[in-house]
Each structure stands twice: as structure tokens, then as C-alpha cells.
Amino acid sequence: GKAVLIDIREKDERAREWIPGSVSIPLSDWRNADLSPYKGKRVVVHCRSGNRTMVNAALFTGAGLGEAAFLEGGIEGWRDAGMPVQRNAKAPLEIMRQVQIIAGGLALAGGLAGYLVDPAYALVAAFVGAGLLMAGTTGWCGMARLLRHMPWNRQPAA
């Protein structure tokens, strides 16, 4: 029979673009998800680029599903191959891209102001760098947590 396509990206990533007919089971929910509808079925698991899928392959193959396969290159590879995707351009950018834009802007502004106006402004860039370093080493990102509560990110998912 037909394989079930499971998208493991988080809801904020899927909100802008998804493969028609795919099922959303975010990686963060995987261990608690009800997988019973997919038991014994062939499944194809995908993420954005294929990396998260491969890193967590044992989680999917050990879930008691039928045959589990992985979409090489993720949704990016699928799109690049000319396969159909659905888009919602009104959905906000995914949280991590928002973090990158804001952190990059703050670091740039702090660095320039430190050079052009007063060396004390360089502390803005240092503060942002410390936040990014903490996020990378611990997996906890304060800016991402804050952004999730912003009004533009609280729209109902499609």
C-alpha cells in the first residue's frame, strides 16, 4: 500500500511550507505521540534537510511502525526535485530564523555603535554572543522562548 509521509519538523517550521498529504508529528512530541494509526504501515520520515531524520533514525525504526524510510534531503530536497509543496506565506518565519535575524541585528548594531559612538556599546554584541553561546551549549534559547509568546507567533496553525 501507500506509504505514510511523516513530517518531524516543529509546528513553527511546518506552518510556512509542507508536503501535501504529510502528517505532522514533531520530533519534540515523538516519544509521547500516538503512533497507533501507523503501526504496520510503511512510513517515510522527513525533516527540513534530512539531518534530524538521520540523527534520530533509531527512534523512528524502533517505534514499532512498519518499514521506515527517510526522505533524503528532507523537504528541501523534495522541493528542489520539483515535487509539490504547499505554502502559507502569511505564517511567521520559524522561530530560529527570527532569533538569527534579531541576534544578528543586535550584534551588528552593538559592534558598529561600539566602534563609531562609544566603546561601551560593544557590550551589546558581547551580551548577544553570550546568549548564542549559551543556547548552543545548553539547547536553551531565551530569545526563542520569548519570541514564541509574541503575538505574530501565536496565530493558529494551519
Side-chain angles (χ1 to χ4, degrees), residues 6 39 57 83 136 139:
I6 299 177
K39 297 281 186 201
M83 300 299 286

Side-chain angles (χ1 to χ4, degrees), residues 70-157:
F70 310 114
L71 183 60
E72 191 174 338
I75 192 172
E76 289 177 348
W78 175 273
R79 184 185 349 95
D80 293 347
M83 300 299 286
V85 293
Q86 281 187 272
R87 288 192 173 95
N88 177 6
K90 291 187 174 123
L93 288 173
E94 57 267 28
I95 300 289
M96 288 320 297
R97 284 198 45 208
Q98 293 180 41
V99 167
Q100 291 165 344
I101 291 166
I102 293 170
L106 285 170
L108 178 63
L112 285 174
Y115 179 74
L116 297 171
V117 181
D118 186 317
Y121 283 109
L123 291 173
V124 172
F127 179 76
V128 171
L132 292 171
L133 186 64
M134 189 180 107
T137 56
T138 66
W140 186 88
C141 180
M143 190 181 293
R145 294 186 67 124
L146 178 69
L147 284 167
R148 279 193 185 88
H149 298 290
M150 292 295 115
W152 61 86
N153 289 323
R154 288 191 286 152
Q155 298 169 357

Side-chain angles (χ1 to χ4, degrees), residues 22-87:
S22 63
V23 175
S24 175
I25 305 176
L27 183 59
S28 61
D29 297 342
W30 190 264
R31 291 189 202 292
N32 301 318
D34 176 17
L35 300 175
S36 58
Y38 314 108
K39 297 281 186 201
K41 293 192 175 168
R42 288 178 32 228
V43 298
V44 177
V45 180
H46 88 85
C47 59
R48 182 180 55 84
S49 66
N51 188 48
R52 267 177 287 183
T53 304
M54 297 315 289
V55 167
N56 295 284
L59 185 65
F60 311 125
T61 56
L65 304 168
E67 185 184 332
F70 310 114
L71 183 60
E72 191 174 338
I75 192 172
E76 289 177 348
W78 175 273
R79 184 185 349 95
D80 293 347
M83 300 299 286
V85 293
Q86 281 187 272
R87 288 192 173 95

